[in-house]
Amino acid sequence: IRLNNISLTYPLPEAWGKTIGLKNLCACLSGQNIFTITRYNGGDPETMSIFGMPPSNLYTIRFNYNF
């Protein structure tokens, strides 16, 4: 079982952006290669190599807005 990609977006209240002149403010969180559940005893079950590096995790936080 592997969770490769996930993305969450949350619209922020208008009052938060209104004070500094921003509209449609939202926060986004995304991640890649979150976790892998396997019985394989090597490094990465996708490459089947004990010497290969597993895929690295990547997390991103993003804010979107309009003027």
Side-chain angles (χ1 to χ4, degrees):
I1 298 172
R2 177 177 273 185
L3 179 60
N4 277 336
N5 297 308
I6 190 167
S7 179
L8 302 170
T9 302
Y10 181 76
L12 299 173
E14 282 189 40
W16 290 13
K18 195 173 197 180
T19 58
I20 54 176
L22 301 177
K23 301 176 188 174
N24 301 329
L25 187 61
C26 70
C28 306
L29 174 66
S30 62
Q32 292 181 335
N33 300 319
I34 307 301
F35 68 84
T36 302
I37 299 173
T38 183
R39 292 184 184 180
Y40 179 70
N41 290 328
D44 181 25
E46 196 169 278
T47 60
M48 296 292 208
S49 170
I50 60 171
F51 301 110
M53 294 289 293
S56 60
N57 299 350
L58 175 68
Y59 300 99
T60 306
I61 298 173
R62 186 176 74 234
F63 293 96
N64 293 339
Y65 57 88
N66 292 330
F67 290 103

